[in-house]
């Protein structure tokens, strides 16, 4: 638990912003598990979505990848089935990444996939297919644009060290107009979007530099319930002394890591958050990265997030043909098997008011506590803080079998120190995480 910090009580205005964010994110906080999809022309060089920046490629050199990019095997329905079978409830696709290449049929540029894809609008196909599977849908849109002529060579722009390039007369307002126009296209031409995921702000390129207030009011005019991530402005720092929810962003977006506890605002209210995570090291397809995470680590990471009131947005990077790598498919299938039996301990669940036990973690929904047994133990599972006479039933979630529990005569066997019998010692959890369902009396 974070230490209590004395802060001025929130203003009515802040409470209003906070309550609206909680309202909008209600379904999303229930859903807990989503798919991130990084797909673009960078799948051709297959060295990650930052290749243009990392290798300082000019737009004309990068063009060979754009010309070559023709995802003939792209099948949005197959992607949607993969996400659904993994137990995911929503998905977010890159409509435009930092390279500026548009995966949707924008009228504001010719730099778009539909030109060499028989006019097909990949974003529309994605949205239709995922909605048809009953999943919520979101789009990622890069604020940064390494292609637009009026976007200066700042930050990690591929031409950041190119003195000649710097001499150009960048008309920032033109870029902002283009960016707002594209977001409006996405917001108005593609039906109901559940999430808009902006990426990202840095230095002075933050907040009102993007005309964020105007942008968000346009978005909310058309889609009042859409959920926005927090990257329209730079992070205020990871300290609970400063953290707030902003009217221009509903949730925090930790990347490639899981916070060590609940995320609270400076008034001690929990803040919605979502860790985004890759399956190997890269977001976009990386041919030579074989460092895949195990399904076990993914299940443990998901449980870790939910045990702290967070979500997990797990990434796939389809290859240039449009296929999700077979290694990713295999991991997701295993995760899906676990979710089919244990999803009840994830969906609609959040933090339990109990200390983290040695053998795993807890999640909770109403009067039911889920004990996630993650690590081998000796003896019974010590569920400290749970009082035996308040327990109604204890079951193994995956089989429904009843488990017995008792107090011990040794150690700190005071009240509220329950021991759940999971078998004869030594014991190892099975299937990555053995979930024990503890129903408490009302
Ligand atoms: C980063 C990277 C990016 C990736 C994103 C996902 O900000 O720039 O390539 O899309 O994080 O969170």
């Amino acid at each position: 638990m974070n230490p209590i910090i004395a802060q001025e009580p929130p203003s009515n205005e802040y409470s209003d912003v906070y309550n609206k964010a909680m309202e909008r994110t209600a379904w999303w906080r229930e859903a807990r598990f989503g798919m991130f999809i990084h797909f673009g022309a960078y799948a051709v060089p297959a060295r990650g979505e930052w290749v243009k920046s990392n290798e300082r490629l000019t737009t004309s050199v990068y063009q060979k990848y754009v010309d070559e990019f023709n995802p003939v095997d792209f099948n949005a329905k197959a992607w949607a089935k993969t996400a659904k079978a993994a137990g995911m409830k929503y998905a977010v696709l890159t409509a435009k990444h930092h390279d500026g290449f548009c995966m949707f049929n924008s009228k504001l540029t010719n730099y778009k996939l539909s030109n060499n894809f028989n006019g097909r609008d990949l974003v529309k196909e994605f949205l239709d297919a995922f909605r048809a599977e009953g999943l919520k849908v979101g789009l990622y849109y890069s604020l940064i644009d390494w292609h637009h002529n009026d976007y200066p060579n700042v930050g990690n722009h591929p031409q950041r060290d190119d003195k000649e390039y710097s001499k150009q007369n960048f008309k920032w307002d033109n870029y902002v107009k283009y960016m707002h126009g594209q977001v409006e296209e996405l917001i108005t031409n593609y039906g109901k979007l559940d999430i808009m995921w902006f990426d990202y702000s840095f230095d002075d390129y933050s907040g009102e530099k993007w005309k964020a207030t105007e942008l968000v009011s346009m978005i909310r005019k058309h889609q009042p319930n859409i959920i926005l991530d927090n990257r329209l402005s730079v992070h205020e720092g990871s300290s609970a002394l400063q953290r707030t929810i902003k009217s221009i962003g509903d949730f925090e977006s930790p990347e490639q890591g899981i916070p060590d506890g609940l995320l609270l605002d400076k008034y001690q209210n929990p803040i919605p958050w979502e860790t985004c995570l890759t399956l190997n090291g890269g977001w976009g397809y990386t041919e030579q990265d074989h460092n895949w995470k195990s399904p076990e680590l993914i299940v443990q990471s998901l449980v870790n997030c939910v045990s702290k009131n967070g979500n997990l947005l797990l990434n796939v990077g389809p290859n240039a043909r449009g296929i999700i790598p077979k290694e990713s498919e295999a991991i997701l299938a295993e995760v899906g098997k676990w979710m089919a039996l244990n999803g009840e301990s994830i969906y609609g669940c959040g933090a339990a008011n109990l200390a983290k036990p040695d053998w795993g973690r807890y999640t909770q929904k109403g009067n039911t506590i889920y004990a996630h047994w993650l690590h081998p133990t000796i003896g019974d599972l010590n569920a400290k803080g749970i009082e035996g006479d308040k327990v109604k039933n204890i079951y193994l979630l995956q089989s429904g079998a009843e488990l017995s529990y008792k107090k011990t005569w040794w150690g700190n066997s005071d009240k509220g120190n329950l021991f759940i019998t999971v078998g004869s010692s030594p014991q190892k959890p099975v299937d990555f995480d053995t979930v024990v369902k503890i129903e408490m009396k009302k």
Side-chain angles (χ1 to χ4, degrees):
M1 274 296 184
N2 299 40
I4 303 293
I5 303 149
Q7 293 277 326
E8 292 287 304
S11 63
N12 289 342
E13 200 188 330
Y14 180 71
S15 301
D16 193 43
V17 168
Y18 179 86
N19 292 337
K20 286 217 175 89
M22 293 311 272
E23 249 170 69
R24 278 193 289 265
T25 56
W27 71 262
W28 180 87
R29 287 181 287 113
E30 294 250 309
R32 290 300 184 215
F33 190 27
M35 177 181 267
F36 214 174
I37 308 173
H38 277 69
F39 192 40
Y42 42 78
V44 176
R47 297 189 291 276
E49 77 290 352
W50 271 65
V51 61
K52 192 180 184 197
S53 167
N54 291 344
E55 300 179 17
R56 310 284 209 272
L57 307 179
T58 60
T59 290
S60 60
V61 170
Y62 196 72
Q63 187 59 31
K64 68 177 177 221
Y65 302 132
V66 167
D67 292 340
E68 189 63 33
F69 185 47
N70 180 20
V72 283
D73 294 327
F74 165 70
N75 177 351
K77 290 185 181 145
W79 289 7
K81 285 201 168 28
T82 294
K84 181 150 191 183
M88 292 158 158
K89 297 287 192 190
Y90 61 100
V92 179
L93 169 74
T94 48
K96 180 193 95 171
H97 206 273
H98 307 333
D99 66 355
F101 186 65
C102 295
M103 302 297 279
F104 65 109
N105 194 356
S106 172
K107 292 201 175 53
L108 304 177
T109 183
N110 260 324
Y111 200 54
K112 57 185 175 185
L113 176 65
S114 40
N115 283 350
N116 39 349
F117 201 42
N118 295 324
R120 283 167 70 185
D121 188 327
L122 189 136
V123 165
K124 183 174 182 314
E125 290 183 32
F126 155 79
L127 294 170
D128 290 346
F130 278 68
R131 287 178 184 134
E133 285 291 346
L135 300 177
K136 302 267 190 191
V137 287
L139 296 175
Y140 167 111
Y141 183 86
S142 174
L143 300 166
I144 293 166
D145 194 312
W146 298 330
H147 174 262
H148 198 282
N149 280 334
D150 287 310
Y151 189 93
N153 52 345
V154 291
N156 286 305
H157 192 283
Q159 278 67 58
R160 54 193 171 277
D161 299 327
D162 182 335
K163 300 248 156 28
E164 278 307 299
Y165 197 95
S166 306
K167 288 183 189 153
Q168 287 178 49
N169 178 19
F170 303 106
K171 298 189 195 73
W172 179 249
D173 287 348
N174 271 357
Y175 174 67
V176 172
K177 193 166 160 230
Y178 168 79
M179 184 265 274
H180 281 223
Q182 286 210 315
V183 173
E184 186 155 24
E185 289 186 310
L186 293 172
I187 292 291
T188 55
N189 295 343
Y190 292 86
K192 181 171 182 266
L193 299 181
D194 302 293
I195 303 162
M196 194 75 207
W197 220 102
F198 290 110
D199 197 30
Y200 60 88
S201 294
F202 60 98
D203 304 338
D204 297 340
Y205 291 77
S206 174
E208 291 318 303
K209 181 85 177 176
W210 310 116
K211 296 205 172 136
T213 307
E214 189 183 318
L215 183 69
V216 170
S217 74
M218 179 275 290
I219 294 172
R220 295 227 190 275
K221 183 177 83 196
H222 298 294
Q223 306 233 22
N225 298 322
I226 199 166
I227 300 176
L228 306 176
D229 74 334
N230 66 338
R231 295 193 183 177
L232 266 170
S233 62
V234 285
H235 204 269
E236 312 168 282
S238 49
S239 157
L241 278 168
Q242 297 151 346
R243 189 179 286 122
T244 54
I245 286 192
K246 298 212 179 79
S247 53
I248 55 166
D250 300 305
F251 67 89
E252 286 212 15
S253 53
E255 186 170 318
Q256 305 285 38
I258 298 174
D260 60 5
L262 310 183
L263 293 188
L264 303 175
D265 70 7
K266 61 182 180 180
Y267 312 110
Q268 298 293 298
N269 304 304
I271 281 198
W273 61 269
E274 172 190 73
T275 277
C276 49
L277 183 70
T278 53
L279 279 172
N280 57 0
W283 299 99
Y285 182 71
T286 33
E287 178 70 36
Q288 295 183 9
D289 179 347
H290 304 296
N291 198 12
W292 298 96
K293 296 176 181 73
S294 67
E296 179 172 18
L297 186 56
I298 298 303
V299 167
Q300 293 190 355
S301 302
L302 175 60
V303 170
N304 187 347
C305 291
V306 177
S307 76
K308 297 166 184 167
N309 284 339
N311 284 21
L312 181 67
L313 186 65
L314 188 59
N315 184 71
V316 295
N319 67 22
R321 302 182 63 105
I323 298 194
I324 295 177
K326 61 181 187 313
E327 294 88 345
S328 303
E329 289 278 3
I331 301 165
L332 293 179
E334 286 295 309
V335 172
K337 278 192 219 156
W338 184 88
M339 286 295 282
L341 287 172
N342 300 291
E344 183 189 318
S345 65
I346 299 292
Y347 305 127
C349 292
N353 194 16
L354 294 167
K356 184 194 170 308
D358 293 339
W359 40 262
R361 297 182 183 279
Y362 295 111
T363 59
Q364 181 165 1
K365 176 166 49 193
N367 285 320
T368 304
I369 296 166
Y370 297 93
H372 296 262
W373 176 23
L374 303 169
H375 315 299
T377 82
I378 52 163
D380 298 334
L381 296 187
N382 180 0
K384 194 171 171 67
I386 299 182
E387 289 180 32
D389 50 4
K390 300 214 172 119
V391 169
K392 193 164 130 206
N393 287 307
I394 302 189
Y395 299 110
L396 214 49
L397 184 57
Q398 56 177 350
S399 68
E402 187 181 34
L403 298 177
S404 61
Y405 54 94
K406 57 177 183 293
K407 277 173 67 172
T408 54
W409 49 265
W410 50 263
N412 299 317
S413 67
D414 43 343
K415 205 172 172 208
N417 205 359
L418 194 74
F419 286 76
I420 304 169
T421 307
V422 284
S424 52
S425 181
Q427 278 292 358
K428 273 200 270 193
V430 291
D431 295 338
F432 320 141
D433 169 9
T434 303
V435 182
V436 175
K437 177 175 177 178
I438 309 170
E439 290 176 343
M440 304 298 290
K441 291 177 190 156
K442 297 216 166 49

